[in-house]
Every structure is written in structure tokens, then in C-alpha cells.
Amino acid sequence: MPEKDYTDGRQVAVGVEGRTGTRNTPSLMTLADAQETAFFWDGRRSALDQAVMDPLTNPVEMGLHDQAQLLERVQGDPAYAQAFKQAFPDAKPAISSEHMAAALAAYVRSLRSPESAYDRYAARHDKTQLSPRALLGLAIFQGKGHCAECHRLEGTPAMLTDHAYHRTGVGLDAITANLPALTEDVIKRSLQGGALGNRVATHADEAQLGRFNITQDPADIGLFRTPSLRDVSHTAPYMHDGSVATLDDAIDREVYYRSLQAGHPLQLTVEEREDLKSFLQAL
Ligand code: HEC
């Protein structure tokens, strides 16, 4: 939803006939700026042209039966006939799923997040663009918080992701007891691409396996793509399953899990967490 910064503001997505999926809708507006090359929370698609088509036939998203039904719908609409002719004048057939994919991907790539206070600060080294609190927050983000190790500040504008996968522990407790059976099931099926997306959207337990669903490597159980934090204060709720309601809670979770990972507690005072939040609000 453009008015919600290209998210839906819900915990998990709601599709046709009110059917709910298993994933929090990520903002499409950060995708081009973050220079994403893998798509969906588990990175199951590496081509945007493929990623944009999956929701159309996902049973709990747009619910079309198959690409043939999609083509029939689009070909039957005179407004589309005109628009496709303009965009792809020499195409035969005039409307194909390849061209639909190319058009959708081009639109998504055109979406940009607005210039942020941090962008202005970074472009001109202009400290007046950030509040004193946000400046302290930046120091924690890069320093003892270690946030910038994954939410990287490189790039113009800053990408705020490392394009890699990590275990935060979010959602993992719920499936721990059932892990052997779950992973065995996934390996047996080893689905790919669109079919995998349908499975993930309709099986909450398997969805929590994250990157493992794609690689079937036990080391990848519970790993998810680092989301870009561009515009993050506008995209609540948080995490792949939308289980974290507010930015404060997201910061607390991240501080906690990073402590577990580092093997020693990351001590941030209430004040320092507020500073961190002020910085995240400037992204
Ligand atoms: C080891 C890499 C890593 C580090 C370090 C890290 N994060 Fe994250 N962060 C992630 C991943 C991966 C997710 C997504 C987790 C999920 O959905 O299960 C995430 C999610 C988030 C989210 C939610 C974003 C959204 O759109 O849902 C916020 C906010 C966040 N991190 C802030 C921080 C802050 C603040 C720090 C420093 C205290 C930090 N992160 C450190 C990898 C990291």
C-alpha cells in the first residue's frame, strides 16, 4: 500500500478471501535503494522478474489458479491491451507473462524511499541534520551495538543490509520440539521457486525454518535475510513473522539476540536504547 510505505501494517499478509499467510509484508520502497539481489525473507528468488510473479498464483495471496488464468484476465482487459502495446510495441503475442513480469519488476525498481535525515547527514557530513540523540544513536549503531555489522551503512544512499542471512531466534522456540520431523519433511519434498513460496505461505511451522527451506543445509535453520532498515520507523510490525509490534520491542529483541550470539551481554541503558531509536527514526 503506497500510503503505508508499501507495506500493509499487519502482522502477516492477508490475501484473497481473507486468507492469512505466514510472513510480514516487507516494504517494496527500500528494495531498489538497498540494491537487493535476493527476494522474500528467505531469499528464495534471485531474480526480481520471478519474485514479482509468485504472489499472483500464491493460494493465500492473490490466489489465481495458474499463469494461464492470469494471462486470460490481463488479455481480456482493453486498458491493458493498450498499455502493453505502448510498452512492448513489437511483442508477439501482444501480452505474455514474460512482459508482465518485466513491467512489474520495472515498476518495483522505480520505487524509492524518500531522502532521510541520515541521507542528508551522510551526503554532506552535516551534523545539523541529526538530533544530538540520533548522533549518539549512530555512535552506538556503529560501535558497541554492532548493528552496522549487518545493517551496513555503505552505499549512497546507505543500504542498511549486508545481503546475508542470520539467525535472530525469532519464531524458533515454537518449532524446536518438532524440528527433526519438520526438516525431514522439507528435505523429502525439496520444492523450488514458486511452489516453495506457496508451501511457506501456508505452513507456519515450516516457514520458521527460513533459509533451510531453500538450501536444506542444517546450518541454515532459522536464518533470515537482513532487512534494510531504511524507513524502518514506518514499517511496524517487525521481523519475518511480524511477531514484534513496535520499534522499541524490535530494538530490545536485537540487543538480546546479539548478546546471545556474541556470548557476552550487550549492556545498553534505557537512555542508550532511546538514542538508538532516535537514530533509526532518522533512517
Ligand atoms: C548478525 C546480524 C545482525 C545484527 C548484528 C543486527 N541485526 Fe537487526 N536484523 C538482522 C536480521 C537477520 C533481521 C531479521 C530477523 C527476522 O526477521 O527474523 C533483523 C531485524 C531487525 C529489525 C526489524 C526490521 C524489520 O523490518 O522487520 C530491526 C529494527 C533491527 N534488526 C535493528 C537492529 C539493531 C538496532 C541492531 C543493533 C543493536 C541490530 N539490528 C543488529 C540482522 C542483524
Side-chain angles (χ1 to χ4, degrees):
M1 298 176 176
E3 70 280 12
K4 291 191 174 157
D5 295 48
Y6 294 89
T7 67
D8 56 6
R10 300 175 192 268
Q11 178 171 356
V12 293
V14 177
V16 283
E17 290 164 28
R19 289 179 208 153
T20 50
T22 59
R23 296 285 204 234
N24 179 249
T25 305
S27 172
L28 294 183
M29 205 172 64
T30 62
L31 202 136
D33 285 334
Q35 301 180 32
E36 298 288 8
T37 52
F39 306 97
F40 302 114
W41 281 97
D42 49 24
R44 81 181 82 100
R45 286 293 197 193
S46 54
L48 185 57
D49 288 40
Q50 292 177 331
V52 291
M53 295 301 271
D54 288 346
L56 292 156
T57 51
N58 188 305
V60 299
E61 292 181 357
M62 308 193 75
L64 291 178
H65 195 254
D66 52 23
Q67 297 231 335
Q69 191 189 10
L70 169 65
L71 269 177
E72 198 184 307
R73 289 257 182 112
V74 176
Q75 284 168 341
D77 185 326
Y80 281 134
Q82 184 61 28
F84 271 88
K85 209 169 171 179
Q86 268 175 3
F88 307 102
D90 304 322
K92 281 201 178 41
I95 300 181
S96 62
S97 45
E98 286 73 27
H99 286 139
M100 253 186 264
L104 269 172
Y107 173 67
V108 171
R109 273 192 211 100
S110 78
L111 302 174
R112 289 289 151 101
S113 46
E115 189 184 41
S116 67
Y118 177 74
D119 292 338
R120 289 192 293 274
Y121 161 90
R124 302 177 210 112
H125 300 287
D126 177 359
K127 287 195 175 173
T128 64
Q129 297 295 336
L130 295 180
S131 69
R133 274 224 111 125
L135 282 170
L136 283 172
L138 168 59
I140 297 167
F141 194 86
Q142 288 181 293
K144 75 173 182 180
H146 297 285
C147 314
E149 283 172 18
C150 297
H151 301 288
R152 304 189 73 94
L153 293 167
E154 284 90 345
T156 313
M159 291 183 281
L160 293 149
T161 171
D162 58 356
H163 304 289
Y165 303 86
H166 302 278
R167 182 177 296 109
T168 60
V170 172
L172 214 50
D173 291 350
I175 59 163
T176 309
N178 201 18
L179 212 49
L182 266 182
T183 49
E184 215 170 286
D185 276 0
V186 168
I187 291 170
K188 256 189 236 150
R189 272 193 326 276
S190 328
L191 293 168
Q192 290 301 321
L196 172 56
N198 297 354
R199 185 88 199 166
V200 162
T202 50
H203 291 73
D205 281 3
E206 282 179 28
Q208 298 289 19
L209 295 172
R211 187 74 185 148
F212 174 82
N213 279 312
I214 289 83
T215 62
Q216 282 115 48
D217 178 347
D220 286 343
I221 292 173
L223 265 60
F224 289 90
R225 213 164 43 79
T226 308
S228 172
L229 298 183
R230 291 191 65 76
D231 203 41
V232 71
S233 60
H234 297 128
T235 62
Y238 300 105
M239 308 299 174
H240 66 272
D241 57 2
S243 61
V244 175
T246 66
L247 193 54
D248 289 297
D249 291 342
I251 293 169
D252 287 349
R253 299 287 299 223
E254 286 292 84
V255 168
Y256 172 69
Y257 281 113
R258 298 315 145 205
S259 306
L260 284 187
Q261 203 176 37
H264 54 82
L266 169 57
Q267 309 263 6
L268 291 187
T269 64
V270 174
E271 287 291 304
E272 288 173 322
R273 283 168 207 241
E274 283 297 319
D275 297 339
L276 210 40
K277 183 163 99 174
S278 295
F279 174 65
L280 296 185
Q281 286 166 334
L283 292 175

